[in-house]
Amino acid sequence: MLCSWTAAEVSVDGKRLYSDRVLRESVWVSRWEAYAREGRQPVALEGHQGSIQSLAVGIDGKVFSASNDWTIKVWRGTNGSHLYTLAGHTSIVLSLAIGMNGWVYSGSSDRTIRVWCGETGGFCRRCQSKRAMWIHWLPMKPGCL
């Protein structure tokens, strides 16, 4: 069985772990309960058409997953239901960060950083890099935005 993981994130309250999972041709986000009985299977959050590159969990419990399918999917952390999809990048979405104000920042191999409203999914702003090839990492300082 060919299986791999590339991203993981813990909920703010520490009760849930989210990880990507690739098994043959299937791709999904797994939601693991920290205090679940041994042997209990994770909840699968399915919907991406490509490998997952990054995961982020907001303070409101929403889960954000960035993918090779050029999108960011947003899930309700409590039950795993799909809320909406953020689309606009023109290549693989590689990185995610969430600001204290709830804005979501996504970095892509299209050399852009996009800013989204985490509450509504509305697009806010696009920043184009003239030097970087790909935006692999979006560090956030505590207290910033």
Side-chain angles (χ1 to χ4, degrees), residues 45-142:
L45 313 180
E46 300 179 82
H48 279 295
Q49 301 301 309
S51 297
I52 295 164
Q53 295 296 317
S54 184
L55 293 167
V57 180
I59 57 173
D60 60 358
K62 287 181 187 163
V63 179
F64 298 82
S65 55
S67 173
N68 284 6
D69 65 9
W70 305 4
T71 68
I72 300 151
K73 299 247 183 234
V74 184
W75 316 88
R76 183 170 285 117
T78 54
N79 64 12
S81 63
H82 178 253
L83 296 173
Y84 49 86
T85 300
L86 306 177
H89 281 291
T90 58
S91 191
I92 298 168
V93 185
L94 298 166
S95 54
L96 291 170
I98 300 176
M100 294 304 292
N101 59 2
W103 287 3
V104 178
Y105 301 83
S106 58
S108 171
S109 60
D110 66 7
R111 298 173 29 176
T112 66
I113 295 172
R114 290 181 179 259
V115 184
W116 314 85
C117 175
E119 188 175 319
T120 64
F123 173 73
C124 296
R125 184 172 184 184
R126 177 181 166 270
C127 306
Q128 177 78 43
S129 171
K130 299 211 186 285
R131 294 186 185 166
M133 289 297 288
W134 292 1
I135 313 295
H136 284 281
W137 186 47
L138 291 169
M140 296 298 288
K141 285 185 166 186

